[in-house]
Amino acid sequence: MTATAQRTRGFEAVLIIVYGIFALSATARSLVQILRDFTAAPVAYVFSLLAALTYIAVTVVLVRRGRRSPWALALCAIELLGVLAVGLLSVFDAALFADDSVWSGFGQGYGYVPLLLPIVALVYILVGRRQGPRAPEQPR
């Protein structure tokens, strides 16, 4: 395996770990919010649950199929659209968001990682597609 292939696999592992952490944290947050008092901010809590489901889906696709899967590209694009839509809604119509969601304020509560994560993932996926198919590994 070349040094470039090792770096690529290492970066993909880090991406999967970050997505896994966000899948766990967003799922826990949304479930607590929904179970605690869904009526307080139903829109925000539903978007937290959608964020959690998106992070779970991206994590699973990256683990099982890798970045070359068309599902990886589609899910990360959907994730980015979700972050942008919820971010804009939470800024311009704060009444919809009586409580924060994972994506409100463009992920401000998480250090804007929810905004940066799909951008980084999409760049990584698109660069991988431009490089063409992976060469078969040589037997040792």
Side-chain angles (χ1 to χ4, degrees):
M1 183 180 291
T2 67
T4 303
Q6 287 177 336
R7 278 193 302 276
T8 299
R9 283 187 138 177
F11 186 80
E12 190 163 335
V14 169
L15 198 59
I16 289 167
I17 290 167
V18 173
Y19 266 105
I21 290 168
F22 269 80
L24 289 172
S25 66
T27 300
R29 178 183 187 146
S30 67
L31 291 177
V32 166
Q33 288 174 323
I34 288 169
L35 294 173
R36 184 186 60 200
D37 188 15
F38 181 73
T39 58
V43 173
Y45 298 163
V46 167
F47 278 121
S48 280
L49 182 59
L50 287 173
L53 294 173
T54 304
Y55 293 134
I56 291 168
V58 173
T59 303
V60 169
V61 166
L62 287 176
V63 167
R64 299 190 89 197
R65 302 193 181 230
R67 72 177 172 171
R68 296 185 195 281
S69 167
W71 284 105
L73 180 65
L75 288 169
C76 289
I78 290 167
E79 175 192 356
L80 180 58
L81 289 174
V83 173
L84 293 174
V86 171
L88 287 170
L89 278 172
S90 65
V91 169
F92 291 113
D93 192 358
L96 279 177
F97 293 86
D99 197 0
D100 286 337
S101 75
V102 175
W103 290 342
S104 61
F106 303 101
Q108 180 180 4
Y110 289 87
Y112 297 101
V113 173
L115 177 61
L116 297 174
L117 188 58
I119 294 169
V120 170
L122 285 167
V123 168
Y124 177 71
I125 290 166
L126 292 172
V127 167
R129 288 173 179 261
R130 260 197 303 154
Q131 291 174 349
R134 196 182 300 163
E137 290 189 26
Q138 300 295 324
R140 292 180 183 194

